[in-house]
Amino acid sequence: MTHDHHHEIPRYTPEQTAQALNPPAGRNGGDLVVETLHGLGATTVFGLPGQHALGMFDALRRSDLEYVGLRVENNAGFAADAYGRVTGEVAPLLLSTGPGALTSLAALQEAAAGSSPVLAISSQIPSAGLGGGRHGYLHELVDQQASFRDIVKSVHLVRTASQIPSAIAAAWESALTAPHGPVWVEIPQDVLLKETTLPLVTAVDATPRELLPRPELIAVAAHALSHAERPVIVAGGGVVRADATGKLRTLAEKLAAPVVTTFGGKGAFPWEHPLSLQSWLEDRHTTDFLEDADVVLVVGSGLGELSSNYYTFRPRGRVIQIEADLGKLESNLPALGIHADAREALSALLESVTRREGAESARDAVRTVLAKVRERIGAQDLELEQRVLAAVRDALPATSPSFWDMTILAYWAWSAWPGAMHSGQGAGGLGYGFPAALGAAAADRTKPVLAVSGDGGAMYSMAELATARQYDLPVTWLIVDDGGYGILREYMTDAYGETTGTELARPDFVALAESFGVPAVRTSPDSLREDLSKALAAPGPSVVVLPVLLKLFAPTHLPAG
């Protein structure tokens, strides 16, 4: 495919040439990092300083990039992840070497699973120590990049100052090419510290590649959908990341196809739409309905463990899977696999499908499924859990984002929360909710952000109360305190009749938050709506502690009894 256009390289005026020839004194490799980020359009960076990375941090002083420093590298990674999710922009994450870098690994795994464009820039020991010898430098790893290659989309190594702008630009492009994801740049300490006479970095081009669907596959998919009798759509996180929710809705309406969203795809389709099956994916009634469809269009999902009701989903109809991550195409079910960005593929399908009749019967079918789901939940004595979730939903302003840790209330929210929410369910590690909410608040300080954790997950990110206070970020943190790892307690009790390692001593969360200068209140299920509303309406950070023991609804993928 030939391009009939090419970028014109701007001609420098004599004044600009003079500036390039006489760059400001006192710049180093760290300045090249910061200037490149600025040239690419970054406005906010996250991170934590360390000995080998000081060249980058010193350079921040000479830039107008906003720096948000967290207290633990993993939490800085979660904050960057959320910033990338809510803005769709690259979130730079500045890290030190060895322990500092490695501490970010779990967050980068979440960014990879959740397709967040995190640009991690790590320092390295001095160049003289590289190459696999054991020199005994502080923080030394024999092969630091090897620890990250399994997790990030791409690794970019720098060995000289002149490599810095191109390496960061290539990483930026990789992070933003569908599927979005975390990338890794590594720069030795001496390269960051060494003075440079290179001119100031100005414009840098890092336009992500477009991932377009192949036309013959779209033709086959459009034909199948146009002639389907009972089409249904499963919408995953790829729809949200590709900013394709409007196109999905138009396609669903044109095909009169019911839509169910995955837990990673919350918000991909309007919750109250007459074609919305919502997101009750862990419910056999939904699974049965999907199995009965003659054509299943899966967009932006790999149909992993949760999305397939723990791999019990066995479709009888034809599956068409649109997925930007090549490794996820047909990884779980045979399908017509279309390797493409969700937005591009939905656009192409919209132009190719013909309008289907049958909207009324599709709406009736949706109502029937949702009624069955409600009946199943209604028979389980779970009124408290539904009341707590409703109170949280009522208290949160409609435009405010929410970030959920791996906790029982979040497991409820995956299925029952109406619309968009963000959770650490991609990799499933603990401690995501609060630092992620801080990252989202740093992206937009004009509206309050909600974080939800259990007491076990909260202990992972307690240090970030200091960050919330230092930057005065508008995050309200709801801590559901049930005295342990509640989900694991349920799993172990069900499997073994008793628990090990799930019961936790914990602090007085209210007193602890107040010691950080963060206002806090202890609430109850009855006063939760009011207390949470007040906390969200007040400026700056706040904590609401809810001591309550919640239960999960019964699974439908296991034999009863």
Side-chain angles (χ1 to χ4, degrees):
M1 188 174 176
T2 57
H3 290 280
D4 55 2
H5 65 278
H6 61 276
H7 291 293
E8 286 291 329
I9 298 170
R11 291 294 294 273
Y12 257 36
T13 64
E15 292 81 16
Q16 288 173 311
T17 302
Q19 281 176 342
L21 290 168
N22 298 289
R27 288 161 63 249
N28 59 21
D31 288 275
L32 295 173
V33 172
V34 168
E35 290 162 14
T36 304
L37 290 173
H38 188 268
L40 287 162
T43 55
T44 305
V45 298
F46 299 89
L48 219 155
Q51 178 182 324
H52 297 124
L54 294 181
M56 286 193 287
F57 283 82
D58 177 54
L60 279 175
R61 209 164 34 92
R62 294 184 284 281
S63 86
D64 53 7
L65 291 176
E66 184 188 1
Y67 170 67
V68 179
L70 286 94
R71 300 303 194 271
V72 185
E73 286 86 357
N74 201 46
N75 295 335
F78 285 144
D81 169 300
Y83 184 97
R85 284 192 204 202
V86 298
T87 62
E89 296 166 13
V90 171
L93 171 65
L94 306 186
L95 298 166
S96 186
T97 316
L102 294 174
T103 301
S104 74
L105 272 170
L108 293 175
Q109 187 191 354
E110 181 56 50
S115 299
S116 277
V118 175
L119 169 54
I121 305 177
S122 155
S123 56
Q124 237 311 9
I125 58 173
S127 305
L130 300 176
R134 291 189 178 276
H135 304 274
Y137 284 99
L138 184 75
H139 304 333
E140 181 180 306
L141 290 166
V142 172
D143 188 4
Q144 180 174 280
Q145 52 166 313
S147 297
F148 294 85
R149 280 197 183 275
D150 176 45
I151 289 172
V152 297
K153 274 186 77 177
S154 55
V155 169
H156 308 261
L157 302 180
V158 168
R159 292 294 177 260
T160 64
S162 59
Q163 296 175 6
I164 288 173
S166 293
I168 291 175
W172 184 282
E173 180 182 322
S174 173
L176 278 188
T177 296
H180 289 177
V183 292
W184 185 258
V185 178
E186 202 171 273
I187 313 173
Q189 178 189 29
D190 53 314
V191 177
L192 288 171
L193 291 177
K194 191 177 178 187
E195 199 163 322
T196 183
T197 55
L198 287 168
L200 287 165
V201 182
T202 54
V204 190
D205 184 32
T207 311
R209 292 189 318 284
E210 289 183 333
L211 186 56
L212 302 172
R214 299 211 320 267
E216 74 276 15
L217 298 177
I218 290 294
V220 173
H223 183 270
L225 289 164
S226 301
H227 294 88
E229 286 179 25
R230 296 179 310 285
V232 66
I233 299 173
V234 178
V239 175
V240 180
R241 297 288 167 271
D243 195 18
T245 54
K247 293 191 186 305
L248 175 74
R249 179 179 180 161
T250 308
L251 183 68
E253 289 169 352
K254 197 169 178 181
L255 293 172
V259 179
V260 63
T261 62
T262 70
F263 304 154
K266 299 282 288 184
F269 195 72
W271 187 257
E272 297 292 351
H273 193 285
L275 289 171
S276 173
L277 280 166
Q278 301 176 354
S279 46
W280 290 95
L281 276 173
E282 284 191 62
D283 192 286
R284 193 65 224 178
H285 296 305
T286 303
T287 311
D288 288 344
F289 183 77
L290 293 174
E291 287 183 351
D292 185 51
D294 60 340
V295 180
V296 182
L297 174 63
V298 182
V299 193
S301 168
L303 289 181
E305 184 174 25
L306 299 177
S307 307
S308 62
N309 200 354
Y310 299 89
Y311 303 115
T312 61
F313 172 43
R314 293 277 172 269
R316 291 190 288 278
R318 180 171 200 181
V319 179
I320 299 164
Q321 185 188 14
I322 295 165
E323 176 55 61
D325 185 340
L326 186 61
K328 289 183 181 174
L329 268 193
E330 293 193 90
S331 60
N332 286 311
L333 286 172
L336 175 70
I338 303 177
H339 183 219
D341 180 54
R343 187 181 174 86
E344 305 290 355
L346 288 170
S347 286
L349 279 178
L350 266 175
E351 288 172 17
S352 310
V353 297
T354 51
R355 184 170 292 281
R356 272 187 73 258
E357 300 306 312
E360 195 46 55
S361 66
R363 289 197 286 265
D364 288 345
V366 165
R367 275 195 294 271
T368 302
V369 173
L370 292 178
K372 285 179 182 171
V373 171
R374 271 195 300 275
E375 196 180 324
R376 187 179 83 81
I377 297 295
Q380 290 182 40
D381 187 26
L382 297 165
E383 189 267 338
L384 169 67
E385 287 74 8
Q386 295 178 82
R387 201 155 48 92
V388 167
L389 196 64
V392 177
R393 178 59 274 182
D394 290 349
L396 187 67
T399 58
S400 283
S402 58
F403 293 84
W404 302 66
D405 218 328
M406 301 294 280
T407 183
I408 284 178
L409 194 60
Y411 277 46
W412 267 94
W414 291 345
S415 290
W417 182 264
M421 59 171 277
H422 305 276
S423 73
Q425 59 90 35
L430 274 175
Y432 177 79
F434 186 53
L438 297 177
D444 180 359
R445 292 168 172 269
T446 64
K447 54 193 175 201
V449 181
L450 173 69
V452 182
S453 301
D455 55 289
M459 293 302 287
Y460 275 64
S461 29
M462 212 34 85
E464 305 311 336
L465 281 167
T467 303
R469 181 73 283 161
Q470 182 167 344
Y471 297 98
D472 198 32
L473 293 165
V475 174
T476 293
W477 192 8
L478 172 62
I479 300 174
V480 182
D481 183 0
D482 64 6
Y485 298 122
I487 293 162
L488 300 176
R489 177 193 284 142
E490 284 218 4
Y491 287 169
M492 288 194 87
T493 304
D494 288 349
Y496 312 112
E498 53 188 304
T499 64
T500 310
T502 62
E503 305 314 300
L504 302 173
R506 63 245 181 247
D508 174 343
F509 287 112
V510 171
L512 184 62
E514 286 172 346
S515 76
F516 283 92
V518 175
V521 62
R522 189 171 281 99
T523 189
S524 69
D526 291 331
S527 53
L528 174 60
R529 181 184 282 106
E530 189 185 344
D531 288 338
L532 199 53
S533 296
K534 267 190 211 155
L536 285 158
S542 55
V543 170
V544 176
V545 182
L546 174 65
V548 70
L549 188 63
L550 301 175
K551 296 203 299 270
L552 276 172
F553 47 83
T556 63
H557 65 284
L558 300 172

